[in-house]
Amino acid sequence: LIGGLGGERTRWTESCAKLAISYGDLDGDSLVSAGMISYGSPFTPLYRKKLISSWHDNLTKLAIPHAEGCDITTTLADPVLIRQWSIFGLPQDANSVENGIIMSKSRRYPLLIDPQGQALNWIKNHEADRMPTFGVTSHSNPRLRDQVEFCMSEGCALIISGVEQELDPMLTPVLEKQVITKAKSKYINLSDKLCEFNDDFSMYLTTRLPNPHFSPEDQAKTTVVDFTVTQKGLEEQLLGIVIQKEQRSLEEQLKNVLEEVTNNTKSLLRLDELLLERLSANSGNLLDDEELISVLADTKAKATEVNEKLVAAAETRTSINEKREQYRPVATRGSVLYFSIVSMSLVNVMYQTSLDQFQNLFDKSMDAAEKASLASKRVNNIIDTLTYIVYRYINRGLYESDKLSFKLIVTLKILLAAGRLEENDVTLLLKGGAALDINTVRGKPFSWMTDASWLNCIMLSRENSVFKQLPDELLRNEEAWKSWYAENEPEAMPVPHYESRLSTDMGGGGAFFRMLLVRSLREDRTILCVNEFIRSTDAVETGGARLPGMGPRYVESATDTVEQVYAESHATVPVVYLLSAGADPTDSIDGLARKKKRENQCVSMGEGQEPVAMRAINTAVVNGSWVLLQNCHLGLEFMEGIEDLVARIRETCNPDFRLFITTEPHPAFPIGLLQMATKVTNEPPQGLRAGLLRSFTVIVDQDRLERVETSQWRSLLYAICFQHSVVQERRKFGSLGWCVPYEFNDGDLNACITFLEKHLYQGALSWPTLQYMVAAVQYGGKITDNNDQRLFKSYTEAWISPYTLAPNFSFNPESPINRIPNDFMYSIPDCQEVDEYVAFVQSFPDIDSPEVFGLHPNADLTFRNKEVQTLLNTILETQPKSSSASGGRTREDIVYEKAEELLATMPSDYIEDEYMEAIGDLGGLSIPLNIFLMQEIQRLQMVIKNVRAMMKTMLQAIRGEVVITEIILQGINSMYDARVPGSWTHSAGGDEISWLSPTLALWYVGLIGRDEQNRVWLKDGRPAAFWMTGFFNAQGFLTAVQQEVTRAHKADKWSLDAVMVHTEVTEFEKPEQVRTGPREGVLIHGLFLDGAAWSRNESSLIESEPKKLFCALPLIMVTAVTKGTKRSMAGDYGPYGAYECPCYKYPKRTDRYIIFHVSLASREQRPVHWSLRGTALLCTTE
């Protein structure tokens, strides 16, 4: 007995000591665990750690005993139970284990945020013995009440999937456990019916939404648990898959070791319990209990054996882990790729990819990768193959505008994972100097650099050590920098001072820092730099190894034909085509079906089409034909059932069956269907060449070409097709191209060709009739903007006229500013065959000159800037909302600091009595401009009051004094991203309440400028010149001016209805040059010309300077004249008359933002020239 107990003495002494410490720490440890179960479950792992850390600090401060680093796992984890969970499919990362413990200990039923479906799989396995026969049910199931009743009475485990934003109110009594006890039975009132309740009943609710917004009431009824897979957790899972595939024996050995450790630990615990039970239960003499002595002997032997095995297992596990680590880079890359894919769903809700889909690609890449005897070589082969296979699969389902964003996100995440870049570098690339105010930073010493570039330069020097001395370098070597800045291709030229550093790899970041510099100083060249960055990042160094990165093949254009999509498709995986304007895959699918000798039934979804679609699918599943469901965004209710339908037919389906679905992006499209389907985008061709080729393959065939046997018909047919491609392609230039981006399509072109054909049959050609039908009816019927109608009419008069039939006619500009690529002549070929036209079109240059569209070469710069902003904004949308910034500061710290800074400089409130008294001193409200001033002050006061209240609420929310609402959260996110919060610019109803700006700094500068103009007007009287941009209601200002001028001409019997605005451009370039205003009318400043420049010497519109998109217009005198007087002034604007230039509040040119038309002299060009240039006046260029 003494010998037996002596063997346990050491172990028991240690256990007693540990138990004594644990007992002493029980209060604090329990408090932390209870806090995590009650409050921590909805949060991310990072935030949970932050919570626990703050709780530890408070426990220490309040002197509550607790174990160092205690958390829910150390306090409540049962290793044996966790091992069982693992066998049932629970991922073994710390976050998933925590979630399992929370679910097992919580009293409320769990509501699981489970976008990857891992929690659902685990629960199905874990509760397999207790699940009802119908399995998992859905939240939208019409029989849900009956299923709940059955499970409650039988004590089953009920799993409800597909929960959206709200829970069914019918579940409230169950969730709140409103149990009614009658005699020995328990009941719950379910929809006015008492239903029996079994204590063994359990319920799990799951949602696939990655970031659902449940009401506080629903969150209080359930335990919301975030089961979203983490990057580290996924890496461990993928490592297991890699080892299973590559080193199966190693993974099985590890599995056996872990099971052995679990079983041995379980045996030891059981023996300990038995021994303690014998000792505590023994009432007689211990020496007489021979069984006890036997148990002691067994325990001692077992303990020795187990300890030896545990030591051996630990050594084996270390050895196995060392071998497994060789394959970790594959798992790391897989995890990086998956989270890059997930981030794209924030860009477009249709970009949904399930973890199962990704794991299929992961397995496929290992099969496809080249074999190698060396593990390092094999790892590189798998990484290279995996990256490209995933890229091609995801790329086919992205719209063209998002493809580069995805490639850049992947490249940046690869470098971040390898430790070659910091998060702060990426933030700098995306935001630049958007948060800085030009008035508060170091002054810009050069006129040749834009304000935005200078702000980017300042931010670059503050946040990045490589460019710390950049502003000083610019000053020291101004000529070299100015020359580099003015280059057409600065990204390909040596960078002054920095070239030697950027040319070296800089640990894989050289190309990135070059891109960062180009984005900061020459934003228009960023896209080209991004492509070069992706091309040059072909390898990444990490942990002493050189792993494959991206490379040249990721920059090359990659398109998938319908044949390729079909080759990779399966009977039980639908193919979803994402539609865009002007493209339809129906013809391609029909053509493939004929080629494969398959019947393809098309069903256009809409009201009453669900039964037709269901019959078509049921028939096709049996006989192996195809079904094409078109426009499924009009049949979302039917789409909800497709996922279940596919699951039901999985075993019995004919392998030749295919289901094709076409849909426009829609936020309510079922996530489950998107996650299981293959997604393909279908977009119209880009470029003049592609557009004309489409016209001469889809619209015009040989039969149509020969319908009228004249060269006149063929020439006009080609001209109409060319014009169609031009007006389509002009959209890419944004507002400079069309004020409204119209969806011109093949139907418009067809209608024009059909009219021309019939018109020519009837006799002689009437040019006015043809021009009217094309410009005003067929295309013009879609055009809603007057300036766009004028533009289209200009095209038609130039290109569909008698001159079109002249032998030397061409679409080239008469005197191009820049050389047309390859000196190509866009003439009209006189051909007899369609193939000849196709051959001619195929000889078009690869790049279309903007001058062919009638635009200035600078329009290409506008297009590039638009592309860059789209790219950066897209990636900014994908950035996490919870990361820390540089220097360890959190998002909240940065926003708090910024809000305090803005509050300190916020203009003071306008007191009504004070400003009304000041207006009275200016002449009172009998003067129209004084009424206008009063209205402007009232509007500005509303903005100041709203912004001040919003920022104070934000500060309170960050301090934890008020509940964070959706509006406050959006405000915090916007301020962190240096954007203007939506609640500052728009009311809850969507009305514009202030002004629009792309950055927070620009918006705030606008606030200060508006406030200053109003206060100077109140204090010193009417200004000599007015800042037009600073008005809420610029049209109201012009009306007030007209009223004042009309009243001044009361003796001449002028009336407001009989006058119109008259404008003249003055000699004054700056408002400071004006001492007093005009005797009649007003002077305005702050307008910029877009698409043209102004010659002060000639007082006329002229062509823009290269790379200078906007030109500040001198001050304009605005007054009112009678309509007769206006007509008599026609000769003052040059031989061709004035160009009526539209003036817009913002660069976004719509009827909503147009203010008025300004008559500008055009002495060298006809006004139509400026219409084609897209020339307009803007109050702001941002």
Side-chain angles (χ1 to χ4, degrees), residues 55 212 291 329 374 793 821 860 898 908 993 1104 1121 1165:
W55 293 344
E291 195 176 331
L374 272 175
K793 188 180 176 186
D860 202 40
K898 189 69 183 175
S908 57
I993 56 175
S1104 302
V1121 296
Q1165 302 282 359

Side-chain angles (χ1 to χ4, degrees), residues 143-287:
R143 298 189 63 249
L144 181 61
R145 201 207 72 83
D146 297 333
Q147 292 171 337
V148 173
E149 181 183 350
F150 173 77
C151 290
M152 278 201 312
S153 62
E154 296 296 322
C156 297
L158 176 64
I159 304 173
I160 303 174
S161 66
V163 175
E164 297 295 327
Q165 306 281 13
E166 293 178 1
L167 295 177
D168 191 328
M170 179 268 294
L171 296 172
T172 299
V174 183
L175 293 171
E176 293 181 351
K177 298 188 178 176
Q178 297 173 3
V179 179
I180 302 165
T181 305
K182 289 188 176 180
K184 292 183 178 180
S185 300
K186 295 180 178 179
Y187 300 91
I188 284 183
N189 192 334
L190 199 64
S191 300
D192 295 329
K193 180 185 176 184
L194 277 181
C195 302
E196 195 177 337
F197 180 81
N198 188 318
D199 287 331
D200 292 333
F201 168 72
S202 58
M203 181 164 66
Y204 304 88
L205 302 115
T206 70
T207 178
R208 274 188 291 218
L209 298 175
N211 190 23
H213 295 281
F214 298 118
S215 67
E217 293 80 13
D218 286 343
Q219 293 190 50
K221 294 170 196 166
T222 60
T223 299
V224 180
V225 185
D226 184 7
F227 248 102
T228 308
V229 70
T230 61
Q231 191 156 335
K232 198 67 188 169
L234 180 60
E235 186 180 309
E236 290 299 328
Q237 291 177 49
L238 295 178
L239 181 58
I241 293 171
V242 176
I243 300 298
Q244 187 73 23
K245 191 96 172 171
E246 298 294 311
Q247 299 279 339
R248 183 184 291 273
S249 59
L250 205 63
E251 190 66 8
E252 286 176 356
Q253 190 182 352
L254 178 62
K255 188 178 175 184
N256 293 336
V257 166
L258 291 174
E259 280 186 12
E260 194 177 337
V261 167
T262 305
N263 292 334
N264 285 334
T265 308
K266 201 188 293 184
S267 301
L268 196 57
L269 290 170
R270 200 180 303 115
L271 286 168
D272 270 352
E273 284 174 13
L274 183 61
L275 182 56
L276 289 169
E277 186 186 332
R278 298 289 305 183
L279 285 169
S280 58
N282 193 293
S283 55
N285 190 337
L286 284 176
L287 297 175

Side-chain angles (χ1 to χ4, degrees), residues 245-547:
K245 191 96 172 171
E246 298 294 311
Q247 299 279 339
R248 183 184 291 273
S249 59
L250 205 63
E251 190 66 8
E252 286 176 356
Q253 190 182 352
L254 178 62
K255 188 178 175 184
N256 293 336
V257 166
L258 291 174
E259 280 186 12
E260 194 177 337
V261 167
T262 305
N263 292 334
N264 285 334
T265 308
K266 201 188 293 184
S267 301
L268 196 57
L269 290 170
R270 200 180 303 115
L271 286 168
D272 270 352
E273 284 174 13
L274 183 61
L275 182 56
L276 289 169
E277 186 186 332
R278 298 289 305 183
L279 285 169
S280 58
N282 193 293
S283 55
N285 190 337
L286 284 176
L287 297 175
D288 295 336
D289 193 341
E290 292 181 9
E291 195 176 331
L292 173 62
I293 296 167
S294 171
V295 170
L296 267 173
D298 290 344
T299 305
K300 184 177 180 181
K302 190 68 178 175
T304 307
E305 181 191 343
V306 166
N307 286 330
E308 287 172 0
K309 283 184 177 178
L310 286 175
V311 170
E315 291 172 0
T316 308
R317 190 171 180 179
T318 305
S319 168
I320 291 170
N321 283 340
E322 284 174 6
K323 292 175 184 173
R324 288 175 95 237
E325 286 303 306
Q326 293 178 318
Y327 291 90
R328 184 167 292 279
V330 176
T332 305
R333 176 62 58 86
S335 187
V336 164
L337 289 170
Y338 177 72
F339 278 90
S340 300
I341 295 166
V342 168
S343 64
M344 290 305 292
S345 65
L346 300 171
V347 177
N348 189 323
V349 72
M350 306 302 280
Y351 299 159
Q352 300 283 347
T353 303
S354 69
L355 187 56
D356 288 342
Q357 272 182 323
F358 178 77
Q359 285 179 345
N360 288 337
L361 296 174
F362 193 76
D363 291 338
K364 180 181 173 183
S365 66
M366 286 188 285
D367 293 333
E370 188 182 339
K371 304 292 180 189
S373 52
L374 272 175
S376 57
K377 178 67 175 169
R378 174 67 176 156
V379 163
N380 280 9
N381 291 345
I382 295 174
I383 289 175
D384 192 36
T385 309
L386 169 67
T387 309
Y388 193 67
I389 284 177
V390 169
Y391 155 67
R392 285 303 303 272
Y393 181 82
I394 299 301
N395 186 68
R396 70 163 59 134
L398 300 177
Y399 284 114
E400 200 65 40
S401 58
D402 296 325
K403 287 179 178 178
L404 185 59
S405 303
F406 175 65
K407 290 186 283 192
L408 181 56
I409 287 169
V410 171
T411 312
L412 291 173
K413 281 186 180 289
I414 287 171
L415 291 173
L416 284 167
R420 295 300 174 194
L421 290 181
E422 300 291 333
E423 287 284 356
N424 194 44
D425 296 326
V426 178
T427 304
L428 201 52
L429 173 71
L430 301 181
K431 296 186 196 172
L436 299 179
D437 181 351
I438 192 70
N439 299 316
T440 59
V441 300
R442 179 177 173 178
K444 184 182 75 168
F446 326 109
S447 59
W448 48 267
M449 183 182 285
T450 64
D451 288 352
S453 295
W454 178 249
L455 290 175
N456 291 341
C457 169
I458 295 294
M459 184 61 91
L460 204 54
S461 65
R462 288 182 185 178
E463 299 289 335
N464 191 283
S465 58
V466 176
F467 299 107
K468 194 172 183 179
Q469 302 299 322
L470 181 58
D472 298 326
E473 285 301 329
L474 286 164
L475 280 168
R476 270 197 291 269
N477 202 357
E478 183 184 348
E479 282 306 312
W481 280 102
K482 184 178 178 182
S483 173
W484 180 86
Y485 185 84
E487 286 285 349
N488 282 332
E489 299 177 357
E491 72 282 357
M493 306 304 293
V495 180
H497 183 72
Y498 291 99
E499 183 59 32
S500 57
R501 296 178 69 186
L502 296 178
S503 297
T504 58
D505 191 41
M506 292 179 69
F512 174 81
F513 290 117
R514 185 184 296 276
M515 176 175 69
L516 193 55
L517 185 67
V518 170
R519 177 261 185 270
S520 300
L521 299 181
R522 278 291 303 275
E523 192 174 287
D524 60 294
R525 306 298 294 179
T526 305
I527 296 287
L528 297 152
C529 232
V530 166
N531 279 317
E532 183 54 40
F533 167 60
I534 294 167
R535 183 185 289 109
S536 61
T537 313
D538 55 351
V540 181
E541 287 189 22
T542 175
R546 193 169 173 82
L547 304 174

Side-chain angles (χ1 to χ4, degrees), residues 422-424 463 884-890 893-894:
E422 300 291 333
E423 287 284 356
N424 194 44
E463 299 289 335
S884 292
S886 59
R889 293 190 303 160
T890 63
D893 294 337
I894 293 168

Side-chain angles (χ1 to χ4, degrees), residues 796-1023:
T796 308
E797 288 174 353
W799 291 348
I800 301 177
S801 69
Y803 302 109
T804 312
L805 304 177
N808 60 347
F809 174 82
S810 85
F811 297 100
N812 292 45
E814 287 181 19
S815 49
I817 296 170
N818 288 350
R819 183 170 150 259
I820 300 294
N822 308 333
D823 291 322
F824 189 81
M825 185 63 69
Y826 289 91
S827 58
I828 298 180
D830 187 14
C831 306
Q832 303 288 333
E833 304 288 328
V834 166
D835 290 345
E836 294 176 58
Y837 281 106
V838 169
F840 177 71
V841 171
Q842 284 176 333
S843 68
F844 278 21
D846 293 334
I847 299 170
D848 303 320
S849 167
E851 293 188 72
V852 178
F853 303 93
L855 293 161
H856 190 275
N858 280 356
D860 202 40
L861 202 61
T862 305
F863 169 59
R864 291 187 189 282
N865 281 335
K866 178 171 162 269
E867 269 193 318
V868 173
Q869 285 305 318
T870 304
L871 173 75
L872 298 179
N873 288 336
T874 297
I875 299 177
L876 198 57
E877 289 294 324
T878 70
Q879 294 304 291
K881 306 296 183 198
S882 57
S883 60
S884 292
S886 59
R889 293 190 303 160
T890 63
R891 295 170 66 87
E892 288 74 19
D893 294 337
I894 293 168
V895 172
Y896 196 92
E897 187 181 305
K898 189 69 183 175
E900 284 193 320
E901 177 193 322
L902 295 181
L903 270 175
T905 55
M906 176 71 67
S908 57
D909 286 323
Y910 286 89
I911 310 301
E912 187 175 356
D913 290 345
E914 293 177 5
Y915 69 71
M916 288 306 294
E917 184 182 343
I919 289 172
D921 295 341
L922 295 174
L925 296 180
S926 60
I927 298 173
L929 275 175
N930 285 355
I931 296 175
F932 171 76
L933 172 61
M934 179 193 73
Q935 292 169 341
E936 288 289 305
I937 289 172
Q938 288 172 341
R939 288 282 299 273
L940 188 61
Q941 171 56 27
M942 286 169 59
V943 173
I944 292 171
K945 183 181 176 184
N946 175 43
V947 171
R948 181 178 282 116
M950 182 68 185
M951 283 200 286
K952 284 181 177 177
T953 309
M954 275 187 204
L955 294 176
Q956 288 177 310
I958 293 171
R959 289 196 299 262
E961 295 170 7
V962 296
V963 174
I964 294 187
T965 63
E966 186 69 22
I967 292 174
I968 295 173
L969 183 61
Q970 287 172 355
I972 291 172
N973 289 337
S974 296
M975 284 189 74
Y976 178 76
D977 292 337
R979 294 176 176 177
V980 188
S983 58
W984 294 11
T985 57
H986 291 87
S987 68
D991 300 319
E992 191 179 310
I993 56 175
S994 66
W995 51 94
L996 308 180
S997 286
T999 68
L1000 182 61
L1002 282 171
W1003 188 91
Y1004 202 76
V1005 167
L1007 174 65
I1008 301 300
R1010 285 163 168 78
D1011 177 66
E1012 186 180 346
Q1013 174 164 262
N1014 287 348
R1015 292 190 192 275
V1016 168
W1017 191 348
L1018 279 174
K1019 183 183 174 186
D1020 302 333
R1022 186 178 295 187

Side-chain angles (χ1 to χ4, degrees), residues 392 396 559-570 575 577 585-597 626 658 660 678 680-682:
R392 285 303 303 272
R396 70 163 59 134
T559 53
D560 291 275
T561 62
V562 70
E563 286 86 357
Q564 289 171 309
V565 173
Y566 171 75
E568 295 181 26
S569 65
H570 302 282
V575 177
Y577 276 90
T586 304
D587 292 341
S588 303
I589 295 169
D590 276 340
L592 182 66
R594 286 193 294 272
K595 192 174 175 183
K596 299 289 181 184
K597 295 184 172 58
W626 297 0
R658 293 292 183 275
F660 296 94
T678 298
V680 186
T681 51
N682 190 51

